[in-house]
Amino acid sequence: MPKTSARLLALLSLLQTRRDWPGALLAERLDISPRTVRRDVDRLRELGYPIVAFKGPDGGYRLEAGTELPPLLFDDEQAVALAIALQIATTTGAGIEEAAARALNTVRQVMPARLRHRIDTLQVTAVERPAIRPDPQVDSSVLMALSVAVHAREVLRFDHTPASPPGADDHGVQNLPRRVQPHHLVTWGGCWYLVAWDLDREDWRTFRADRITPRPPTGPRFTPRELPGGEVAAFVASRFRGSDGSGNWPCRGEVILDLPAATVSRYTRDGVVEELGPNRCRLVLGSWSWPGLAATIGRFDADIEVVGPAELKDAFAHLARRYTDAATGAPATPPADPMSQAHADHGSGGWAQQPPLQLWRG
């Protein structure tokens, strides 16, 4: 059986993870008897922790929210997790770098010497991924306002700075203050986004948080709608892939490359690589558009055999003409599908790319 102090700390940690804990389950998790659980609960009460007992078939204990709690206690794993989380806060884009540093210093001062030493030896340097443009920073007060509206399920009004020049957007709707039902606040690729139902456009929208200026107060409460696909992760992924909500890329093709599968796998984040021989593999990959997919596959320095579909072969032919014109100085060949060509610059599932501009506009 663990020492009393370690056991009390473990019990307190469990009580903080869920609202109600049956006494028998606590005894099982801590590998002690129900009687010992009762004694340890009494000890925590003496220390000032407001623990109440509830009756019933699964009678147990609940840690009440109190206004005057004793100093926080952390076990070793929690201390390490907290130190890492606060030190990498600079990469969140939430504008909390200085606050995180102060919080780490405050927590460190109230910890026992043993845990304080562990935190001091855990020095993490947060290095952001190189990018053409730095990730946008969001005021923490904006994130709090959005989060409060999401939690309260209240209609939110805000000004939204579009990525395009001022004027009409979204089929002629002017850039007036937005009225939305906020559902989720998410982070994706170094940016913060609000997933919401736009009341004026009657459709789902994804707004970049750094372009939002809330207009208090919030509006009436609403009943949450069901996201297409059911899960916010799948919904956001499908939006940034330009798909119909299924989570799949709108264009998907299959090729055979004269390269080892291990080499191709290192540079393929969202594709399927199958080994066909020592220096030959099959690659199934997706992208925004057929020209974009062909260009991505062309980055591999190897011979390419297109398995299908025909649209991918046509895209390779189109790029071949374009590259030939570029090499010979001939006039550029106009694209057959301007919209498809515009999507080519947005990359594919093989490399991390910026999402299309229209998604940022909401």
Side-chain angles (χ1 to χ4, degrees), residues 281-313:
C281 68
R282 185 191 314 274
L283 172 63
V284 179
L285 197 63
S287 181
W288 306 98
S289 66
W290 296 113
L293 179 57
T296 297
I297 297 173
R299 296 183 183 185
F300 292 102
D301 187 14
D303 291 335
I304 303 169
E305 176 186 340
V306 179
V307 177
E311 290 85 349
L312 181 56
K313 291 185 178 182

Side-chain angles (χ1 to χ4, degrees), residues 123 302 347:
Q123 297 296 326

Side-chain angles (χ1 to χ4, degrees), residues 179 197-205 225:
R179 295 187 313 116
W197 175 264
D198 194 309
L199 293 171
D200 296 321
R201 291 154 178 80
E202 297 184 346
D203 195 9
W204 290 100
R205 289 292 189 270
R225 302 168 184 265

Side-chain angles (χ1 to χ4, degrees), residues 291 294-296 298-299 315-329:
T296 297
R299 296 183 183 185
F316 273 111
H318 173 77
L319 291 182
R321 292 192 298 269
R322 172 174 286 179
Y323 293 156
T324 299
D325 292 344
T328 61

Side-chain angles (χ1 to χ4, degrees), residues 210-286:
D210 61 294
R211 293 175 177 165
I212 290 178
T213 304
R215 284 194 171 197
T218 54
R221 293 176 60 87
F222 63 88
T223 301
R225 302 168 184 265
E226 184 177 355
L227 275 171
E231 297 183 356
V232 64
F235 172 79
V236 173
S238 65
R239 281 299 176 103
F240 284 103
R241 289 177 174 178
S243 69
D244 56 2
S246 63
N248 298 322
W249 290 104
C251 301
R252 196 169 182 85
E254 179 180 342
V255 299
I256 294 176
L257 299 174
D258 287 344
L259 280 175
T263 301
V264 176
S265 297
R266 287 200 300 267
Y267 304 100
T268 306
R269 186 185 66 180
D270 197 21
V272 178
V273 182
E274 177 187 357
E275 184 175 7
L276 300 179
N279 295 293
R280 191 171 173 81
C281 68
R282 185 191 314 274
L283 172 63
V284 179
L285 197 63

Side-chain angles (χ1 to χ4, degrees), residues 180-198:
V180 304
Q181 295 176 345
H183 280 66
H184 299 277
L185 182 63
V186 302
T187 178
W188 174 282
C191 295
W192 289 85
Y193 297 90
L194 177 68
V195 177
W197 175 264
D198 194 309

Side-chain angles (χ1 to χ4, degrees), residues 89-98 128 133-143 190-192 208-212:
T90 56
T91 64
T92 63
I96 57 172
E97 294 83 357
E98 294 184 5
E128 298 186 53
R133 293 174 296 179
D135 292 332
Q137 297 294 305
V138 187
D139 193 299
S140 58
S141 63
V142 173
L143 293 179
C191 295
W192 289 85
R208 235 174 62 179
D210 61 294
R211 293 175 177 165
I212 290 178

